[in-house]
Amino acid sequence: MAHGLFRLATAGSVDDGKSTLVGRLLHDAKAILADSLDDIRRVSAERGFGGDEPALDLALVTDGLRAEREQGITIDVAYRYFTTPARSFILADCPGHVQYTRNTVTGASTADAAVVLVDARNGVVEQTRRHLGVLGLLRVPQVIVAVNKMDLAGWDRGVYEGIRADVEAVAVELGISALSVIPVSALDGDFVVDRGASAPWYTGPTLLELLETLPVVVEQHVPRLDVQLVIRPQGALQPGYDAEEFRDFRGYAGTVSGGSLRVGDAVQVLSAGRPYAASVKGLRSTTGPVEAAHVGDAVVVELDTDIDIARGDTIVAGELPEPVREFAAEVCLLSDVPVTPGQRVLIKHGAQVVQAKVEGIDHVLRVSDFSKHPADRLGLNDLGLVRLRTAVPLAVTDYRDSRAAGSFLLIDPQDGTTLAAGMIESDAGAAHGAAAGRGVPEHAAA
């Protein structure tokens, strides 16, 4: 059995039964609190759910989010934490409507796996292609398609095999390689947590069995730490610490986003657009000094060289990505404010926020078939390729190489609104002369 924290996102068309599936998964995994279960049981009875054979309406588990959405209070992603004897999960429950594509992007951007629902009666529809396309664009490591409502399709093996073939064809088209297809009935619970006896022809794992055993894909790239905070106690220490030991202490706090960082490693630091060489003198975690820090670890790094490092600077063990001022990226609009050529924006990459300008828009993606079309602006929920120019060089990485170092946010400099989430495409940037601005430190966007 696999252990550790696993991030999971769900997506599906309206009425495909996503709420029921999430409720069934949490219920059968015994992840619903007793008082919440009592409320669900009471409301289900009041509504006459199940008719002559009263049953639990497990879609009520997600009713809080749905009510908020209908009232316009929030359309955000709902995050739920649950655990099984084999693994702990963070589940990102994404809205399924077309107009909430941005929420699917938000929920799936950090997921280790995503579950897409397909109604067995309808098969692969436009929204299925849309969700699979977004997951492919985000490079979600594992994609699971749950063919739901198989009970309404008579558990017909031919129906399942036909949908599986269609899904696999779409996955090949979109470049999704890690794909699993599972027949389920969220209403009855077959193959969600328990197997049931409805489909003896299906010998694969249940949904939970698969989720408990899928590997967490760890990005093994060049160890990198974006400095979030410079720590200089200068005598102001918590009780119990030796003031003399930390009198001249200078550490750089951040989270390791690739590989492992070790004491003694030679590193390069990108500060104010210029590279500097140093070595790791020490590493400290929340428990004290450590010899190594791995992906996801929050640590404080001490260097053997006195360099003027500030929040947003980058420490890399190995070759520093060549700083660039121009690059291209796929962006998903998260705000009502459109993005247009010539627009001044802020880019938040790692812990660094820099001024930038939208140089141009190459295309907008029609997410129903992922065809590309010319555009002079991008609006809410649009996905498209833009070219950006920054005021100072950034050590960016292609999103295909690192989801952490290859992603960023576009921010409105007027009010701080998050305009879009972006994924850097170095190939597309090269096609438009991105290399032209490399290594040229300037302090104002053109």
Side-chain angles (χ1 to χ4, degrees):
M1 286 284 186
H3 292 269
L5 185 63
F6 194 82
R7 296 180 182 274
L8 166 70
T10 60
S13 306
V14 179
D15 297 329
D16 277 358
K18 184 169 63 65
S19 295
T20 304
L21 180 71
V22 171
R24 172 62 67 183
L25 180 64
L26 297 176
H27 175 267
D28 289 5
K30 298 179 174 52
I32 302 177
L33 296 176
D35 55 345
S36 298
L37 195 57
D38 288 341
D39 285 340
I40 294 169
R41 187 174 290 111
R42 176 181 54 78
V43 175
S44 298
E46 290 174 355
R47 295 180 179 179
F49 189 79
D52 295 335
E53 298 180 5
L56 289 176
D57 181 3
L58 293 173
L60 295 173
V61 174
T62 59
D63 248 12
L65 174 63
R66 189 162 60 228
E68 289 178 343
R69 192 179 305 151
E70 289 170 351
Q71 295 172 44
I73 298 172
T74 178
I75 53 171
D76 211 340
V77 179
Y79 290 92
R80 302 166 195 280
Y81 174 84
F82 69 101
T83 186
T84 70
R87 173 172 268 176
S88 297
F89 295 91
I90 293 179
L91 187 153
D93 186 15
C94 308
H97 297 65
V98 174
Q99 63 267 40
Y100 298 147
T101 299
R102 57 175 172 167
N103 302 79
T104 303
V105 171
T106 302
S109 60
T110 58
D112 298 303
V115 179
V116 178
L117 265 75
V118 172
D119 188 324
R121 300 168 299 173
N122 302 326
V124 175
V125 297
E126 180 177 315
Q127 186 72 335
T128 310
R129 294 181 57 87
R130 179 177 286 108
H131 285 138
L132 289 174
V134 170
L135 300 179
L137 186 67
L138 292 171
R139 309 290 197 276
V140 176
Q142 305 280 345
V143 176
I144 303 167
V145 173
V147 183
N148 191 27
K149 303 187 182 182
M150 282 296 297
D151 51 312
L152 299 181
W155 286 98
D156 186 326
R157 183 174 185 175
V159 170
Y160 165 75
E161 295 292 354
I163 293 174
R164 189 178 72 166
D166 291 344
V167 168
E168 289 176 346
V170 175
V172 169
E173 180 185 345
L174 297 173
I176 298 173
S177 56
L179 176 73
S180 303
V181 186
I182 302 177
V184 302
S185 169
L187 184 64
D188 297 334
D190 298 66
F191 298 106
V192 178
V193 173
D194 303 313
R195 298 193 66 80
S198 302
W201 44 265
Y202 176 71
T203 58
T206 68
L207 178 59
L208 185 61
E209 287 172 351
L210 184 61
L211 292 174
E212 287 182 332
T213 54
L214 284 175
V216 175
V217 177
V218 178
E219 293 183 344
Q220 295 296 341
H221 304 296
V222 175
R224 175 179 177 134
L225 183 141
D226 293 312
V227 177
Q228 296 176 331
L229 181 67
V230 178
I231 298 178
R232 296 185 64 195
Q234 296 180 306
L237 294 172
Q238 289 185 356
Y241 283 84
D242 184 348
E244 287 302 319
E245 180 183 354
F246 290 96
R247 185 172 301 282
D248 298 319
F249 183 88
R250 181 191 289 265
Y252 311 102
T255 302
V256 179
S257 62
S260 298
L261 196 61
R262 301 178 185 281
V263 175
D265 278 353
V267 298
Q268 285 193 307
V269 181
L270 180 67
S271 178
R274 298 183 182 281
Y276 299 89
S279 295
V280 177
K281 177 181 175 183
L283 293 168
R284 289 179 176 273
S285 71
T286 55
T287 59
V290 294
E291 286 298 312
H294 310 287
V295 174
D297 289 350
V299 293
V300 176
V301 180
E302 291 179 80
L303 300 179
D304 68 342
T305 305
D306 186 13
I307 303 172
D308 184 16
I309 296 175
R311 173 182 167 82
D313 289 347
T314 303
I315 299 173
V316 173
E319 185 177 354
L320 188 69
E322 189 172 5
V324 297
R325 289 187 57 210
E326 294 186 25
F327 57 87
E330 292 282 359
V331 298
C332 175
L333 268 290
L334 308 176
S335 168
D336 292 324
V337 178
V339 166
T340 56
Q343 186 175 352
R344 302 281 178 168
V345 295
L346 296 176
I347 290 180
K348 184 178 187 305
H349 178 254
Q352 190 170 15
V353 179
V354 301
Q355 297 178 47
K357 176 182 172 184
V358 179
E359 290 284 80
I361 299 173
D362 281 20
H363 62 248
V364 60
L365 285 174
R366 182 186 293 160
V367 290
S368 58
D369 58 7
F370 265 64
S371 58
K372 301 173 182 176
H373 301 270
D376 56 8
R377 58 179 282 162
L378 296 176
L380 180 63
N381 289 310
D382 278 347
L383 289 160
L385 186 72
V386 301
R387 283 174 284 116
L388 298 160
R389 180 178 177 83
T390 61
V392 298
L394 293 178
V396 298
T397 300
D398 193 295
Y399 186 80
R400 287 167 293 192
D401 296 329
S402 172
R403 295 173 78 190
S407 58
F408 64 92
L409 295 175
L410 284 186
I411 298 172
D412 188 332
Q414 301 300 320
D415 59 10
T417 300
T418 299
L419 300 174
M423 294 150 280
I424 294 163
E425 289 199 1
S426 56
D427 292 346
H432 293 277
R438 286 179 177 170
V440 183
E442 295 182 16
H443 300 284

